[in-house]
Amino acid sequence: MVLRMMGSNGRQGEHHGPNLNQERQQAHALLDLLPAAKVHAVRSLLEVMVEPLARSLAQAPEEEEEITPETAAALVRARASLARGEGVPHEEILREFGLSP
């Protein structure tokens, strides 16, 4: 059994039309043949392919930076401003950047 990795247009990852279902079925059939240890590896690879940034961030070591007195004071001011309702709504920020909510 061969799993085609290229789409009909020759580009990887661009699958359109009825062949996509067939390729998914072939991928599922190949997964069914794998031993449990390899299924975990394939799942991890698929997660990276689907959402690489989220996966990278989840696995990144936690950075602990010391908060300077200036940063601490700025955080206090920012939180107080938000508590007073002076924050900018998310929708307004999106509009400012030409994005729609």
Side-chain angles (χ1 to χ4, degrees):
M1 179 182 297
V2 175
L3 177 63
R4 269 187 337 119
M5 297 304 290
M6 296 292 201
S8 59
N9 60 4
R11 292 180 154 165
Q12 186 173 358
E14 292 188 16
H15 300 285
H16 302 286
N19 290 336
L20 177 59
N21 286 335
Q22 181 181 3
E23 292 195 31
R24 286 178 191 255
Q25 289 173 350
Q26 290 173 342
H28 283 279
L30 290 171
L31 281 171
D32 290 341
L33 297 173
L34 289 176
K38 289 189 177 184
V39 170
H40 174 73
V42 170
R43 183 190 54 78
S44 296
L45 175 63
L46 289 172
E47 285 177 350
V48 169
M49 292 172 71
V50 170
E51 190 62 51
L53 178 60
R55 177 87 171 158
S56 295
L57 290 174
Q59 292 184 339
E62 187 175 318
E63 293 183 23
E64 293 190 25
E65 293 183 27
E66 185 176 324
I67 296 179
T68 65
E70 294 82 13
T71 300
L75 288 170
V76 168
R77 289 191 306 274
R79 289 181 181 126
S81 173
L82 288 174
R84 291 188 303 268
E86 297 173 354
V88 179
H90 185 243
E91 292 77 16
E92 187 175 327
I93 297 295
L94 290 175
R95 279 192 303 275
E96 184 177 321
F97 286 96
L99 304 171
S100 58

